[in-house]
Amino acid sequence: MTLTPAASADDIVAHLNTLRNEGNIAGMARFGIDTSTALGITTPQMQAIARQVGRSHERALDLWSTGLRDARMAAILTADPRQLTKQQVRTWSGEFNSWEVVDTAADLFTQTPFWQDLVAEFAADDREFVRRTAFAMIAGATVHNKQEPDETFIAYLPLIETHAGDPRNFVRKAVNWALRNIGKRNRFCHAPALALAENLAASSDRTARWIGKDAVRELTSDKLLARLKG
């Protein structure tokens, strides 16, 4: 079945149901993805659907409201960042229950003009997936927001340091990801990010030490250093 831009949220959900794959659902679970409402739609399938139906913000909100994992992924891929409001971002983030939904949505959120306003707010939120959203946004914007000044990302290093002791798996990995991506952005960002990584690597806190050592390993790799010199 080929969908069109005229497809409704119900049409898309019906199509998603025809693609249900039990093997993929089991595979997702092994990667720590919440599969309680999953249909097992693959990323290429989801991207193909998004291309077929195009962007429609109102339809994306309807897709999100279904509560289905795959419909929500379709919502993220077809929402219009120009129409997203801060409250909609807060509402979606408060309902996140899986790291892959967080990371996909973070890329959408960083296309909004207010993404920086929410990073500190989400980092201060004690809910695991909301806090992960903050650092996934930093990590994603470091790569995708090419026109953003380097100083924007260097200014997030103290926030990374503040939350480097959060031992929860999905937070610590996102904090580590944000630190590594800042350090890999360019030579200007590399030095302060590496300095923080080295400080964390010497921390008495087990989680901070893991984050620091892992970041140091990547930020001092021959491959990265060669790219930064080029």
Side-chain angles (χ1 to χ4, degrees), residues 142-161:
T142 303
V143 175
H144 301 302
N145 293 20
K146 305 292 187 183
Q147 303 306 312
E148 194 67 45
D150 293 332
E151 288 80 6
T152 295
F153 302 105
I154 291 173
Y156 284 127
L157 293 175
L159 189 68
I160 288 172
E161 184 172 19

Side-chain angles (χ1 to χ4, degrees), residues 1-225:
M1 175 182 179
T2 299
L3 297 168
T4 71
S8 67
D10 287 342
D11 293 334
I12 295 172
V13 170
H15 180 58
L16 291 172
N17 275 295
T18 68
L19 301 176
R20 183 182 180 94
N21 187 308
E22 297 297 336
N24 289 345
I25 294 172
M28 289 175 176
R30 288 194 293 272
F31 281 96
I33 295 171
D34 186 321
T35 59
S36 57
T37 65
L39 299 172
I41 313 303
T42 66
T43 298
Q45 287 176 314
M46 194 66 71
Q47 291 171 338
I49 290 168
R51 288 192 296 269
Q52 289 170 15
V53 302
R55 291 194 186 275
S56 169
H57 197 65
E58 289 305 313
R59 186 184 59 208
L61 296 179
D62 289 340
L63 285 166
W64 186 268
S65 69
T66 66
L68 299 172
R69 175 264 175 196
D70 302 86
R72 286 186 163 185
M73 290 294 278
I76 293 166
L77 293 175
T78 60
D80 187 344
R82 297 168 299 179
Q83 296 185 57
L84 268 175
T85 68
K86 285 185 180 180
Q87 191 52 52
Q88 286 168 352
V89 172
R90 290 185 180 108
T91 297
W92 285 18
S93 299
E95 296 175 4
F96 288 159
N97 63 351
S98 196
W99 63 265
E100 42 107 39
V101 175
V102 170
D103 296 355
T104 305
D107 284 342
L108 171 68
F109 296 166
T110 56
Q111 295 176 51
T112 67
F114 53 77
W115 71 271
Q116 294 179 55
D117 297 340
L118 294 178
V119 168
E121 176 184 327
F122 288 171
D125 195 304
D126 195 50
R127 289 173 291 181
E128 183 172 10
F129 289 112
V130 177
R131 183 169 291 171
R132 181 184 175 92
T133 303
F135 294 100
M137 288 168 69
I138 295 171
T142 303
V143 175
H144 301 302
N145 293 20
K146 305 292 187 183
Q147 303 306 312
E148 194 67 45
D150 293 332
E151 288 80 6
T152 295
F153 302 105
I154 291 173
Y156 284 127
L157 293 175
L159 189 68
I160 288 172
E161 184 172 19
T162 295
H163 294 287
D166 191 323
R168 293 174 294 181
N169 185 51
F170 296 117
V171 175
R172 71 185 180 97
K173 288 186 175 181
V175 172
N176 171 262
W177 181 23
L179 176 57
R180 288 185 291 108
N181 275 13
I182 292 173
K184 292 189 294 183
R185 182 175 167 91
N186 54 41
R187 283 187 288 181
F188 184 75
C189 293
H190 181 263
L194 178 58
L196 175 56
E198 290 172 338
N199 286 341
L200 293 176
S203 173
S204 59
D205 182 271
R206 180 178 180 181
T207 302
R209 191 165 61 249
W210 176 84
I211 289 171
K213 286 184 176 181
D214 187 73
V216 167
R217 186 179 305 112
E218 183 162 2
L219 296 180
T220 58
S221 69
D222 291 341
K223 182 178 180 181
L224 175 65
L225 294 176

